[in-house]
Amino acid sequence: MSTVNLIGSYNYALVALSVFIAMCASYTALDLASRVTASGGWPRVLWVLGGACAMGTGIWSMHYIGMLAFILPIPVAYHWPTVLLSLIAAIFASIIALYIVSRQQMSAPQAVLGSLLMGAGIAGMHYIGMAAMRLQAVCHFNSFLVVLSVAFAILISLAALWITFHFREEKTGIGREKLVGAVVMGAAIPVMHYTGMAAARFTPSRMMPVDLSHAVSISALGTAAIVAVTFLVLGLALLTSWVDRRLAARTVELQEVKLQRSEAYLAEAQRLSRTGSFGWRVSTGEINWSEETFRIFQYDRATIPTMELIIQRVHPGDAGLVKQTIESASQDGKDFEHEYRLLMPDGSVKHVHVVARALNDESGSLEFVGAVMDVTAAKQVEQTIRESAAYLSEAQRLSHTGSWAGAPRTGEFRYWSEECYRVLGFDPDKEEPRSANFFQRIHPDDQARTMEQFEKASCEKAEFEFDYRIVYPGGEIRDIHTVGHPVFNPSGDLIEYVGTVMDVTERKRAEELREGESRILEMIARDAPLEEILENLVRVVEAQFAGLLCSVLLLDDDGQHVLHGAAPSLPKSYNEAIDGLCIGPKAGSCGTAMYRKEPVVVTDILQDPLWEPYRQLAESYGLRACWSTPILAHSGKALGSFAMYYRKPRSPSPAESHVLEMATHLAGIAIGRRLAREERERLRQAQADLAHINRVTTMGELTASLAHEVNQPITAAVINANTCLRWLTCDHADLEKAREAASRMAKDATRAADIISRVRLLFKKVTPQRELVDVNEVVREMVILLLSEATRYSISVKTELADLPQVMADRIQLQQVLMNLVTNAIDAMKDVDGTRELIIRSQQAEAGQLIVSISDTGVGLPPQQADQIFNAFFTTKPQGTGMGLRISRSIVESHGGRLWSVHNSPRGASFHLTLPTTVVEGMNDAV
């Protein structure tokens, strides 16, 4: 019996409905694809799942409406679990589709793979759905048509993916384009379905029982429900998409407003910060500039920026480097950053800093985005700061002052300036500023005190200032003065100390040098022994520099041989060895300096030819360097030398040269003062001898008067002696009268003896001695001594003496002055006619002075030569020496007084002398 296939027919209304549902599902897919593409993160996942459910439901609904449109002559039921499985297959295919079309790029392999998966899912949905049919017949498939239907499913999926991908954009195909795409997709999708339906052949089978478990029959109402649910799902999907699109549009509008505001803020920020942005597409050479970039390069906004325009604006000195940087970046595709200068049209120069990041766009082309910053102001500030730092560093170097900062809690230093390293003797390239290293460098005697000062200041949170010493690795000791200032945070906590360290070694040495110089000058002023002065001077100089040995040599009176002056630190045997050596052109440093009368510097005794005769001597005592300066008198005569020795070859530093010059000057003062004192002593002795000669000469001129003066008491004594004898030899001796005569005789002998004693004192050559003297008494003595001379020439002598205090003076020298003045007065009056009167007055003057005046009525002072009478060797006497008045003035001035003369009216002259009633400091010894 032949098999008869069941003949089916189609309900074309349902066929048309299935096609319409396919178009609606396609439109929904296009609309959802744009939302999936516009989303990201978890929202995108939710859109993919929700959209896949809506799209899968639409495709599945099209399939079942199409199956319901196929009418067989026998009843047909559907196994609903299988139907549900077909729905899942449709949703799976939709997930694949939405995932593929929502990617940023869809390559051909991705499209083919997606179409295979999506086509397989749609074909699976179709044939799973047919497998859900329950009817009294056997279903047979035409293999060719089945394969063809699967091929249609894949091709239709590929077309659907392409259409969906290209119409997915938010603002593309919202109207007609998207509808056309939906119609094309909706018309194509049912082709696969109806091709698959055509591949099926149903053969009645009454022998096979039908399993109707979990099977349902679909009535017209069920069909309407499926259609209604489908359109409800698709509608909800479209409504959700529309609402989301509106919200997204609103968000976009707000974002655009914010973006515009941000762009405005960015533009203003770029203007304020002078930072422009740019983009550079290497392949096309296209360059985009922000408004600030145009301002920086000073180009008009209408100008199209090119690399040539940029190079034109670059400073010629930087153009080569900029070109090289750009070419390297474009070839390597790496980020770049550089600085260069711009030469503006007005001639000004700008400094710009450029930073660029390399990116690859969607097509894979290389693109740079970056920023260009006008750093001219920063460069100027940087230059100012650099100059200030340089000035500060130089000021610190010149003043030997370093700066530092330290943390009080940890006790560690945070910062040392470059000069701080130098002052403390550290190398900034090798050593960190650590407190342990610092305290190790402090002098052992100062470490405990320094640590105590730091800890005390830190505990009290107070400023500090003190001195300490450090020891350099070479052993040199330096004096340091440090000042620290506490720094507090707003809450009042001590956070750090900042301060300075100052190398005050030179200052302290200068102070010590000044103090030593003052001591030396004081010793010179009080006429201390030269040996003591020179030894102290040498010690003062040696204290200035470590390892220094000094000596002072004196030049003998013969001007050829050296004598030891002072060298307390040099070996005694060395000093004895060079004592008495002859100066010359190759006599070491000292002998050569005195010979040349100029400084001599020998940096290495063992190599210098000047030391050839004494090289072994110096080497045996370890002396290697010596520089010497001659001590010269004002006349240029060499007096000696001051020398500096070191036990290592070296040259003198400026400080050592300065100290050597000072020491030489002081030594010259001391030696010159001693020579001047000796010269003054010789002059004083010569003047004393001359004064003695003057006294003797004067006394010789007064011999006759003195003989008459002495003869009177002697004659009286003889008379009184005879009288005494007569009274004793008479018959009745009158003892009382004899006693009176003997007494008168004794007085006359005493008076004669006094006269002879005074004359002897004037003749005697003795050393002047100062004592308290009654000036009036000296006047009276001279009057008595010279009264006979005055009487000889009929000259009356008057004295007007006031009560005067005693003065500190040499009696004999005052007698000589008064004798010279009185004898000059007698000489001036002995040949004049008329009254001859000599008046001697004494009186108290102001300011602790007394005045003695000798006035005469003689010939007076020589006309037009009155100012010369006190000059040496000036005289108006035929037999005069011209030294009397000169010696008298010297004597008076040596006593701190004055001697001058004036004319008397109508004739004669007066000589006035003053003497201090108090001792005058610095008064010369007697002349």
Side-chain angles (χ1 to χ4, degrees):
M1 181 176 176
S2 60
T3 302
V4 178
N5 293 330
L6 295 176
I7 307 269
S9 61
Y10 282 95
N11 184 337
Y12 293 106
L14 293 179
V15 170
L17 180 60
S18 67
V19 174
F20 180 72
I21 291 174
M23 293 180 180
C24 291
S26 298
Y27 185 86
T28 303
L30 291 174
D31 195 66
L32 292 175
S34 64
R35 303 313 310 140
V36 172
T37 303
S39 301
W42 281 106
R44 181 180 181 183
V45 174
L46 295 177
W47 274 112
V48 169
L49 295 176
C53 291
M55 180 179 173
T57 300
I59 295 173
W60 175 85
S61 177
M62 176 279 301
H63 165 72
Y64 271 92
I65 296 299
M67 290 186 66
L68 293 176
F70 183 66
I71 302 174
L72 289 173
I74 58 175
V76 179
Y78 292 92
H79 185 252
W80 68 265
T82 306
V83 171
L84 182 60
L85 182 61
S86 66
L87 175 60
I88 294 173
I91 293 174
F92 171 76
S94 299
I95 290 175
I96 297 299
L98 289 177
Y99 174 76
I100 294 297
V101 301
S102 64
R103 295 174 60 84
Q104 294 296 326
Q105 295 180 351
M106 185 178 69
S107 61
Q110 291 175 341
V112 171
L113 179 61
S115 62
L116 288 175
L117 294 175
M118 182 178 175
I122 293 175
M125 175 204 68
H126 174 76
Y127 288 105
I128 292 173
M130 293 193 65
M133 296 176 66
R134 297 292 183 265
L135 70 166
Q136 196 70 35
V138 178
C139 181
H140 301 279
F141 290 97
N142 185 326
S143 300
F144 173 75
L145 293 178
V146 169
V147 172
L148 183 61
S149 67
V150 173
F152 279 152
I154 293 173
L155 292 175
I156 291 170
S157 297
L158 181 61
L161 290 175
W162 186 88
I163 292 172
T164 304
F165 182 79
H166 287 84
F167 288 104
R168 66 180 182 169
E169 295 299 329
E170 190 73 21
K171 296 183 180 179
T172 303
I174 294 178
R176 185 172 56 185
E177 290 84 355
K178 188 177 288 187
L179 289 175
V180 171
V183 169
V184 173
M185 287 177 60
I189 291 174
V191 171
M192 178 270 159
H193 170 76
Y194 288 105
T195 302
M197 291 298 295
R201 296 291 183 268
F202 296 95
T203 303
S205 177
R206 297 184 181 274
M207 301 299 296
M208 181 181 296
V210 179
D211 184 9
L212 297 178
S213 61
H214 304 291
V216 294
S217 298
I218 305 301
S219 61
L221 182 60
T223 302
I226 292 174
V227 173
V229 170
T230 299
F231 282 113
L232 179 63
V233 172
L234 293 178
L236 288 175
L238 290 174
L239 178 62
T240 304
S241 177
W242 178 81
V243 171
D244 184 68
R245 184 177 291 107
R246 292 301 300 271
L247 291 176
R250 179 59 181 167
T251 302
V252 169
E253 290 178 0
L254 294 175
Q255 289 178 346
E256 287 180 352
V257 173
K258 291 181 179 179
L259 180 60
Q260 291 174 358
R261 186 181 296 112
S262 298
E263 288 178 349
Y265 292 157
L266 177 61
E268 184 64 15
Q270 287 190 354
R271 187 184 67 81
L272 293 175
S273 64
R274 298 180 181 178
T275 302
S277 56
F278 67 88
W280 172 35
R281 191 178 295 273
V282 178
S283 59
T284 62
E286 178 185 358
I287 298 176
N288 294 314
W289 279 357
S290 68
E291 185 176 351
E292 183 60 24
T293 306
F294 279 99
R295 276 198 292 267
I296 291 174
F297 282 85
Q298 291 187 7
Y299 280 120
D300 188 79
R301 287 279 297 174
T303 305
I304 299 176
T306 62
M307 196 59 66
E308 288 74 17
L309 287 177
I310 296 175
I311 298 299
Q312 288 177 8
R313 198 61 101 213
V314 175
H315 192 281
D318 298 342
L321 181 60
V322 172
K323 288 180 181 179
Q324 181 181 354
T325 303
I326 293 174
E327 291 173 0
S328 176
S330 61
Q331 292 174 2
D332 299 339
K334 296 181 179 179
D335 302 346
F336 65 89
E337 180 177 359
H338 63 152
E339 287 187 3
Y340 56 88
R341 294 168 294 170
L342 300 178
L343 184 60
M344 311 317 294
D346 60 358
S348 62
V349 176
K350 283 185 179 180
H351 293 263
V352 293
H353 181 84
V354 178
V355 180
R357 173 127 6 230
L359 300 174
N360 291 315
D361 59 12
E362 297 176 355
S363 62
S365 299
L366 179 62
E367 182 179 6
F368 286 95
V369 294
V372 53
M373 291 165 280
D374 183 354
V375 294
T376 305
K379 283 288 184 181
Q380 293 172 348
V381 172
E382 181 181 339
Q383 179 65 22
T384 302
I385 294 175
R386 189 161 44 246
E387 290 176 354
S388 299
Y391 294 151
L392 177 60
S393 177
E394 184 65 13
Q396 288 191 353
R397 188 186 67 82
L398 293 175
S399 63
H400 302 293
T401 303
S403 54
W404 56 268
R409 292 183 179 178
T410 62
E412 290 295 334
F413 292 102
R414 294 177 177 174
Y415 165 77
W416 276 3
S417 69
E418 186 175 348
E419 185 61 22
C420 187
Y421 278 98
R422 281 197 292 266
V423 167
L424 298 178
F426 288 95
D427 187 347
D429 298 328
K430 297 180 180 179
E431 297 173 277
E432 293 288 333
R434 301 197 177 277
S435 59
N437 298 338
F438 165 71
F439 281 105
Q440 287 177 359
R441 188 143 296 182
I442 297 176
H443 193 284
D445 295 342
D446 296 347
Q447 286 182 358
R449 179 176 57 84
T450 302
M451 180 70 75
E452 181 182 351
Q453 291 278 5
F454 279 124
E455 291 178 351
K456 179 180 178 182
S458 180
C459 293
E460 297 177 357
K461 300 181 180 180
E463 295 184 349
F464 61 82
E465 181 175 2
F466 59 91
D467 293 345
Y468 58 90
R469 293 169 296 170
I470 60 171
V471 183
Y472 282 177
E476 181 182 1
I477 298 176
R478 308 293 292 180
D479 291 282
I480 305 299
H481 179 77
T482 186
V483 178
H485 176 73
V487 178
F488 302 94
N489 60 16
S491 61
D493 298 326
L494 177 63
I495 57 176
E496 68 176 355
Y497 270 93
V498 295
T500 59
V501 290
M502 181 183 298
D503 186 346
V504 294
T505 307
E506 279 70 25
R507 189 183 74 185
K508 285 204 169 187
R509 287 178 179 174
E511 291 174 355
E512 293 173 356
L513 187 61
R514 284 195 298 270
E515 292 175 359
E517 183 179 7
S518 299
R519 290 196 305 270
I520 299 301
L521 290 174
E522 182 181 350
M523 293 176 68
I524 293 174
R526 59 182 173 84
D527 288 331
L530 180 62
E531 294 75 11
E532 181 182 348
I533 294 174
L534 295 180
E535 182 170 340
N536 276 272
L537 176 60
V538 166
R539 294 191 183 279
V540 167
V541 174
E542 288 178 342
Q544 292 293 301
F545 306 101
L548 175 62
L549 307 172
C550 295
S551 76
V552 178
L553 293 178
L554 305 177
L555 192 59
D556 199 358
D557 293 337
D558 62 5
Q560 296 297 321
H561 298 85
V562 299
L563 300 175
H564 173 70
S569 300
L570 285 172
K572 183 178 179 181
S573 55
Y574 175 79
N575 294 330
E576 293 173 351
I578 64 174
D579 190 21
L581 293 178
C582 186
I583 66 173
K586 295 178 65 176
S589 300
C590 299
T592 306
M594 285 185 272
Y595 178 80
R596 296 178 180 176
K597 299 181 181 180
E598 64 182 24
V600 172
V601 175
V602 174
T603 58
D604 190 349
I605 292 176
L606 301 186
Q607 303 296 327
D608 199 292
L610 296 180
W611 277 82
E612 184 176 354
Y614 314 105
R615 187 171 296 158
Q616 292 182 353
L617 176 65
E619 185 179 7
S620 64
Y621 293 102
L623 304 176
R624 292 297 303 274
C626 177
W627 39 89
S628 178
T629 300
I631 302 171
L632 303 177
H634 293 296
S635 62
K637 177 184 176 182
L639 305 177
S641 69
F642 194 104
M644 289 183 169
Y645 290 87
Y646 278 99
R647 298 190 183 277
K648 293 182 180 179
R650 55 169 295 178
S651 300
S653 66
E656 289 169 332
S657 298
H658 171 72
V659 173
L660 177 59
E661 181 180 350
M662 182 276 297
T664 304
H665 177 67
L666 290 179
I669 293 175
I671 298 172
R673 186 176 177 87
R674 189 188 73 168
L675 294 176
R677 186 167 61 250
E678 293 175 350
E679 185 64 26
R680 285 197 307 272
E681 181 62 25
R682 286 194 293 269
L683 179 59
R684 186 201 63 77
Q685 186 61 44
Q687 289 178 335
D689 293 342
L690 183 60
H692 178 257
I693 294 172
N694 177 261
R695 290 197 302 273
V696 171
T697 303
T698 303
M699 293 303 293
E701 295 174 355
L702 298 174
T703 301
S705 297
L706 292 175
H708 174 74
E709 188 69 23
V710 173
N711 189 50
Q712 281 184 344
I714 292 175
T715 301
V718 172
I719 294 172
N720 287 322
N722 292 328
T723 302
C724 179
L725 289 173
R726 188 170 59 251
W727 287 113
L728 290 174
T729 59
C730 65
D731 295 334
H732 299 284
D734 192 342
L735 296 178
E736 183 64 28
K737 290 183 179 180
R739 186 182 299 107
E740 289 178 0
S743 177
R744 289 194 299 271
M745 180 179 63
K747 289 182 181 179
D748 290 334
T750 301
R751 187 159 63 90
D754 288 341
I755 294 172
I756 294 171
S757 177
R758 293 190 189 99
V759 172
R760 287 184 63 195
L761 286 174
L762 289 172
F763 274 97
K764 191 176 181 180
K765 187 177 181 181
V766 295
T767 302
Q769 293 182 354
R770 297 288 175 89
E771 60 183 352
L772 291 175
V773 176
D774 185 346
V775 176
N776 289 339
E777 183 180 346
V778 175
V779 171
R780 295 187 188 99
E781 289 175 352
M782 288 300 99
V783 170
I784 294 173
L785 190 63
L786 299 175
L787 183 59
S788 296
E789 183 72 9
T791 304
R792 178 182 173 189
Y793 295 105
S794 303
I795 299 172
S796 65
V797 179
K798 295 182 180 180
T799 58
E800 299 177 2
L801 306 177
D803 291 335
L804 299 176
Q806 291 182 327
V807 298
M808 183 64 69
D810 184 271
R811 174 181 290 274
I812 295 177
Q813 288 184 339
L814 290 184
Q815 288 176 346
Q816 180 175 356
V817 171
L818 291 173
M819 184 172 64
N820 281 335
L821 296 178
V822 171
T823 55
N824 285 343
I826 293 172
D827 290 340
M829 292 186 290
K830 65 184 180 180
D831 295 328
V832 299
D833 297 330
T835 303
R836 299 175 184 177
E837 186 177 51
L838 174 64
I839 302 176
I840 302 176
R841 297 184 180 93
S842 68
Q843 59 184 342
Q844 184 79 32
E846 297 179 355
Q849 299 274 328
L850 60 82
I851 299 178
V852 176
S853 302
I854 296 92
S855 300
D856 63 64
T857 57
V859 295
L861 300 176
Q864 300 178 355
Q865 292 180 318
D867 56 343
Q868 300 181 28
I869 63 174
F870 291 102
N871 293 343
F873 306 111
F874 178 84
T875 182
T876 59
K877 301 177 182 179
Q879 304 300 323
T881 62
M883 293 301 296
L885 289 178
R886 177 59 190 167
I887 293 173
S888 296
R889 172 174 277 186
S890 298
I891 292 173
V892 172
E893 289 180 350
S894 71
H895 284 75
R898 292 176 56 224
L899 175 61
W900 72 98
S901 63
V902 294
H903 288 280
N904 285 343
S905 179
R907 64 179 184 178
S910 294
F911 285 81
H912 306 280
L913 68 90
T914 62
L915 292 173
T917 57
T918 57
V919 179
V920 178
E921 293 187 9
M923 186 185 300
N924 295 333
D925 291 337
V927 176

